[in-house]
Amino acid sequence: MGGCGTWAWRELLLLLGSVWLGVGSSQPTPLGPTHAPGPQLKFRLAGYPRKHNEGRVEVFYNDEWGTICDDDFTLGNAHVLCRHLGFVAATGWAHSAKYGKGVGRIWLDNVNCAGGEKSIRDCKHRGWGNSDCSHEEDAGVICKDERIPGFKDSNVIETEQSHVEEVRLRPVVSGARRQLPVTEGIVEVRYKDSWAQICDEGWDGRNSRVICGMMGFPAEKKVNRNFYKQLKRAARMKGRSPRPGSRLFTERQQLNYRLHSVSCTGTEVHLSMCTFEFYRGNASAACRAGMPAVVSCLPGPLFAAGNAHKKKQRQQQQGQPRIRLKGGARVGEGRVEVLKSSEWGTICDDRWNLLSASVVCRELGFGSAKEALTGARMGQGTGPIHLNEVQCQGTEKSLWSCPLRNITQEDCKHTEDAAVRCNIPYMGYENLIRLAGGRTVFEGRVEVKRGSKWGTVCSDGWTTKEAMVACRQLGLGYSLHAVTETWYWDASNVTEMVMSGVKCAGHEMSLSHCQHHGASLSCRNTGTRFAAGIICSETASDLLLHAPLVQETAYIEDRPLHMLYCAAEENCLSSSARLANWPYGHRRLLRFSSQIHNHGRADFRPKAGRHSWVWHECHRHYHSMDIFTHYDILTPNGTKVAEGHKASFCLEDTECEEDVAKRYECANFGEQGITVGCWDLYRHDIDCQWIDITDVKPGNYILQVVINPNFEVAESDFTNNAMKCNCKYDGHRIWVHSCHIGDALSEEANKRFEQYPGQLNNQIS
């Protein structure tokens, strides 16, 4: 492919992953083969509409996909099939082609499993391919939404695909070679071992919209077609350079057309879902009246090269967006949350599909949706579930323009929160970072590329936030640990430090986007043993405080000093307590209960090992985290009034949701943590579960509780770790109200909250 810069093409290759080439069924869930003797078996879920853990069962036998008849079907059959599919068990099954009729063979009939068999081969049935059924009797299964450890977590709900898998935009204008993202170029599809073009006869903006969506861009723009006609001439010149000063690269290779008559509606998430025709046989005379299809895309604000575009975007938005993604490890993925009546809430996953997910993705400045995720796959939200049965056509500019149902309480739970993974532009950030020395691909010493040189990163100030960015840049999920001593990962010959002073906010796409020292490096320990390292994880915990309980349980107690010796030793009182006339007198305490839930996808475990846990005499158990929460009283403008204190906790499962077993308990030096779906309750009547307000004057205040304030333990979302309440204190009684998670309200409502009436006549000196 000579003069067009093969290296650039290779970098710009957009791999869309292996795609099941099944026609007439919805995009299934590919899963590994079983290891039983005989021909290789594979299993998948198909059908529409469905969730990721249910569907028509299809089995790959004798090089052909087929279905299973529902005659004599039992829950035992479903258990065996769900295990084949990577789920731990079945919760039910479906008859009479509930998930739509399959195509091709009906491989099994009168299947009879006890439920404990290792493979469907071990169950009784009529024999492979021997059936008296029609596809109207295709069986489906509903599996328990819990994966067998080690199975690839696949839950794509897709629509049918045909034989076009990989698509790319090849830039041909000089100067576009090095710039990422590539927003304009010739559309090419992978054909055999090379790339082929598409004839643009009849090509329109709807086709371009689909291509741009696949490439991670929300919209298409018009192309100067006359300019690209030079390409055709250049191709005919067969290797002779165009005239000097031409803006085109030399097109040395003969054009190789593969597709023509492409016709998309504009709502497809992949070119293969559009109608098109292949050129058959010798295509040398193809596309006489046309030329290669060229597409130009409009990048979203995150990926726009110039700031002018960003300003324009901001003006267009006017005010706060009414939609956001939460809890995802990568850019362009997360639980979908919408703003309604000044409060953020989630969307129920009933009827959630790629059309609706794509509307969300484009509205947020990404491309079309890669996956529509159901079953709270990006963690459970909190607060209201605002919408249900969202059914977008795919052409809408906003999710709010789609047909939808407002929710009623009985319809949905947060275990059904909908999420998305969007297509995002290829930026090449993952080529500028690598890990060395780790036991798995998820861990190691961080090495970054600066110019043409690879080197290490100084670990001064290296925290969970920086590690989050490094894991995101590598595409490895969430950061489990930020490691500051990496002598045990000494497997690389890279010894020079090339980056120091890294300080990230946590949302950046690359370490180079964070603050850092630039060329003048400064590091306390420059040896490789002190180079920064990370351990990443596909899943993470997500803690949040149950705000209503704080409001319900808050009260004032005047506690005699003679009952506070233990608490004083543990620094749970204001510093003025030291000057008190012990044991006479009392301290005024604002007491409340803390109930901390883990809504994430991994257990919350303390960072410190047992050897460094601290025994607390007051509570009579070990605390595994030195600072687990901050308790503070603030003035409405944010100044701390009561000193508050930094509470350490013993972490355990006090209570759990149905079907979740407790794993952690403090007693007898037990393992500590909070299981997914459980909560840790620190009751209002135990020592230190308070703020000492003895020195606080009457007035209006904000009570603030922050969990995991130092980001010591990885979470999928740190923006929901603060809880605030309004307080009115008259010197005798206290009213605590409007308690909410810090990011639960709109910006406007938060401003109203901060400017709580009464601020002007505060009696605080």
Side-chain angles (χ1 to χ4, degrees):
M1 289 191 183
C4 290
T6 315
W7 60 271
W9 301 351
R10 214 169 24 240
E11 274 194 34
L12 296 165
L13 172 58
L14 176 71
L15 285 181
L16 285 141
S18 62
V19 175
W20 289 103
L21 307 177
V23 179
S25 66
S26 76
Q27 162 70 16
T29 305
L31 288 156
T34 61
H35 299 290
Q40 187 191 44
L41 290 185
K42 292 184 200 165
F43 296 85
R44 67 185 185 187
L45 289 173
Y48 199 75
R50 66 180 183 87
K51 294 186 181 179
H52 62 277
N53 56 327
E54 63 178 345
R56 180 176 64 250
V57 181
E58 297 191 349
V59 56
F60 188 71
Y61 175 81
N62 227 7
D63 291 332
E64 201 178 336
W65 284 103
T67 62
I68 299 175
C69 180
D70 62 12
D71 290 352
D72 302 330
F73 208 85
T74 65
L75 192 60
N77 298 356
H79 281 313
V80 175
L81 288 164
C82 283
R83 284 199 296 275
H84 274 308
L85 290 157
F87 296 95
V88 294
T91 58
W93 57 277
H95 57 83
S96 310
K98 178 189 169 185
Y99 299 103
K101 293 189 284 187
V103 291
R105 302 290 295 270
I106 298 173
W107 276 127
L108 293 172
D109 188 10
N110 301 109
V111 180
N112 185 353
C113 306
E117 292 86 350
K118 281 202 164 50
S119 167
I120 200 81
R121 292 180 194 277
D122 305 331
C123 304
K124 292 178 186 153
H125 52 78
R126 282 175 70 147
W128 291 93
N130 183 2
S131 158
D132 58 1
C133 301
S134 74
H135 280 296
E136 288 177 353
E137 298 167 85
D138 284 343
V141 293
I142 301 106
C143 302
K144 185 171 165 49
D145 190 5
E146 187 182 331
R147 305 290 293 168
I148 295 170
F151 250 86
K152 190 171 182 322
D153 185 13
S154 182
N155 56 331
V156 185
I157 296 181
E158 265 282 20
T159 334
E160 66 184 52
Q161 304 267 6
S162 48
H163 295 257
V164 174
E165 294 183 35
E166 296 171 27
V167 180
R168 71 177 183 184
L169 267 190
R170 176 160 63 81
V172 287
V173 180
S174 55
R177 280 177 298 178
R178 293 175 188 277
Q179 269 190 331
L180 290 174
V182 172
T183 56
E184 181 170 314
I186 294 177
V187 183
E188 297 190 324
V189 295
R190 168 74 84 181
Y191 178 53
K192 294 186 176 165
D193 290 330
S194 65
W195 291 89
Q197 294 76 39
I198 301 174
C199 182
D200 78 343
E201 288 173 19
W203 187 272
D204 66 17
R206 291 175 300 184
N207 298 355
S208 299
R209 178 177 164 84
V210 172
I211 299 293
C212 288
M214 290 172 69
M215 299 294 144
F217 303 112
E220 74 292 346
K221 61 181 182 185
K222 269 204 163 63
V223 175
N224 180 353
R225 199 165 172 272
N226 293 333
F227 169 71
Y228 278 91
K229 280 187 178 163
Q230 293 177 57
L231 270 184
K232 230 179 162 186
R233 284 199 284 276
R236 286 190 188 124
M237 290 163 78
K238 295 209 177 152
R240 286 173 291 147
S241 293
R243 67 185 183 283
S246 165
R247 289 171 63 212
L248 294 178
F249 293 139
T250 315
E251 280 283 316
R252 286 200 184 129
Q253 100 277 21
Q254 185 70 38
L255 289 171
N256 168 26
Y257 289 103
R258 174 79 177 132
L259 300 185
H260 66 96
S261 307
V262 177
S263 177
C264 306
T265 63
T267 61
E268 297 88 349
V269 297
H270 196 290
L271 178 65
S272 62
M273 294 159 71
C274 305
T275 60
F276 51 79
E277 290 179 42
F278 290 104
Y279 284 112
R280 304 287 171 202
N282 181 9
S284 56
C287 202
R288 279 276 178 226
M291 62 180 212
V294 176
V295 163
S296 184
C297 305
L298 214 54
L302 261 182
F303 302 96
N307 284 335
H309 181 75
K310 288 186 183 176
K311 278 181 194 148
K312 196 174 160 197
Q313 284 274 347
R314 266 190 226 116
Q315 283 159 8
Q316 282 170 357
Q317 278 181 347
Q318 285 176 347
Q320 189 180 15
R322 293 179 65 201
I323 191 160
R324 68 185 183 187
L325 299 182
K326 299 280 282 183
R330 298 167 188 85
V331 175
E333 68 172 36
R335 179 176 63 253
V336 183
E337 296 194 350
V338 291
L339 185 63
K340 190 177 165 197
S341 308
S342 297
E343 191 171 8
W344 287 98
T346 61
I347 297 178
C348 186
D349 64 10
D350 292 351
R351 297 195 178 223
W352 186 245
N353 64 15
L354 280 167
L355 289 175
S356 301
S358 289
V359 170
V360 167
C361 289
R362 289 182 191 267
E363 188 176 351
L364 289 165
F366 305 112
S368 49
K370 196 158 43 174
E371 295 180 46
L373 304 174
T374 59
R377 278 321 239 246
M378 291 285 172
Q380 292 183 35
T382 182
I385 301 170
H386 281 320
L387 307 176
N388 189 15
E389 295 195 15
V390 178
Q391 294 178 72
C392 302
Q393 305 294 303
T395 52
E396 296 89 348
K397 286 272 188 289
S398 167
L399 186 78
W400 295 98
S401 310
C402 301
L404 45 86
R405 272 186 46 208
N406 286 327
I407 203 85
T408 56
Q409 212 53 47
E410 309 79 68
D411 287 338
C412 290
K413 300 191 183 88
H414 280 298
T415 50
E416 299 169 84
D417 284 342
V420 294
R421 278 199 181 103
C422 305
N423 287 315
I424 64 166
Y426 174 79
M427 300 299 288
Y429 295 137
E430 64 272 32
N431 301 326
L432 306 174
I433 187 170
R434 66 190 184 192
L435 296 181
R439 296 158 300 179
T440 70
V441 295
F442 285 93
E443 65 176 35
R445 179 181 290 159
V446 176
E447 295 179 357
V448 292
K449 194 175 186 183
R450 307 286 286 162
S452 58
K453 191 172 24 172
W454 284 94
T456 61
V457 178
C458 174
S459 65
D460 291 354
W462 185 255
T463 69
T464 303
K465 283 187 177 181
E466 288 71 41
M468 276 163 73
V469 175
C471 290
R472 180 179 300 124
Q473 190 176 349
L474 285 155
L476 294 178
Y478 307 96
S479 72
L480 203 55
H481 291 298
V483 183
T484 52
E485 279 195 44
T486 53
W487 50 268
Y488 43 84
W489 285 332
D490 216 357
S492 170
N493 55 5
V494 172
T495 55
E496 191 179 342
M497 187 167 288
V498 295
M499 201 175 195
S500 67
V502 183
K503 189 172 173 53
C504 303
H507 56 73
E508 296 90 346
M509 289 186 268
S510 161
L511 283 177
S512 60
H513 296 173
C514 303
Q515 288 179 24
H516 56 88
H517 285 154
S520 52
L521 301 178
S522 166
C523 191
R524 269 188 324 213
N525 298 304
T526 51
T528 49
R529 64 168 291 171
F530 295 107
I534 52 175
I535 302 174
C536 306
S537 169
E538 279 291 325
T539 56
S541 61
D542 185 19
L543 296 189
L544 37 87
L545 187 68
H546 187 57
L549 189 68
V550 174
Q551 194 164 311
E552 289 161 19
T553 55
Y555 64 96
I556 285 176
E557 181 194 6
D558 287 339
R559 194 160 180 81
L561 282 174
H562 67 82
M563 299 173 76
L564 290 171
Y565 280 104
C566 188
E569 272 174 40
E570 292 194 14
N571 292 319
C572 297
L573 302 174
S574 299
S575 52
S576 63
R578 292 193 205 109
L579 308 173
N581 183 20
W582 291 76
Y584 309 105
H586 64 264
R587 301 300 291 178
R588 178 157 288 183
L589 308 174
L590 169 57
R591 307 193 74 144
F592 53 90
S593 294
S594 290
Q595 187 172 299
I596 294 157
H597 291 245
N598 182 358
H599 281 193
R601 291 185 293 153
D603 293 355
F604 185 94
R605 299 299 308 278
K607 187 177 173 184
R610 284 165 174 254
H611 61 279
S612 58
W613 293 358
V614 179
W615 174 257
H616 278 245
E617 193 59 43
C618 289
H619 296 158
R620 305 290 301 162
H621 55 220
Y622 285 93
H623 284 189
S624 57
M625 284 184 75
D626 188 29
I627 298 173
F628 180 62
T629 50
H630 282 182
Y631 294 157
D632 288 300
I633 296 274
L634 316 171
T635 63
N637 68 6
T639 313
K640 285 188 186 176
V641 188
E643 284 170 30
H645 67 279
K646 299 167 176 55
S648 61
F649 269 47
C650 160
L651 302 172
E652 68 176 356
D653 297 329
T654 311
E655 292 289 338
C656 298
E657 291 166 12
E658 283 178 60
D659 305 330
V660 180
K662 294 182 187 179
R663 282 194 193 160
Y664 305 108
E665 63 172 346
C666 298
N668 306 320
F669 200 31
E671 281 296 334
Q672 292 194 21
I674 307 175
T675 306
V676 176
C678 298
W679 55 91
D680 187 3
L681 176 63
Y682 253 50
R683 286 172 50 95
H684 58 84
D685 53 3
I686 64 171
D687 267 6
C688 296
Q689 187 54 39
W690 63 55
I691 299 178
D692 183 350
I693 60 168
T694 309
D695 307 322
V696 174
K697 302 200 170 70
N700 294 311
Y701 299 100
I702 293 167
L703 162 63
Q704 182 176 279
V705 178
V706 183
I707 311 169
N708 193 15
N710 299 346
F711 307 100
E712 271 187 54
V713 177
E715 294 188 51
S716 58
D717 185 4
F718 287 110
T719 60
N720 58 12
N721 281 25
M723 189 238 39
K724 296 176 177 178
C725 305
N726 277 135
C727 300
K728 187 176 179 66
Y729 176 48
D730 67 0
H732 308 286
R733 293 161 300 175
I734 197 157
W735 291 270
V736 174
H737 62 95
S738 308
C739 293
H740 66 278
I741 299 299
D743 71 341
L745 304 182
S746 68
E747 287 170 6
E748 194 53 44
N750 259 330
K751 279 183 197 146
R752 287 199 302 271
F753 175 87
E754 300 292 357
Q755 293 162 356
Y756 172 55
Q759 185 181 346
L760 299 175
N761 57 12
N762 266 358
Q763 297 163 28
I764 302 168
S765 52

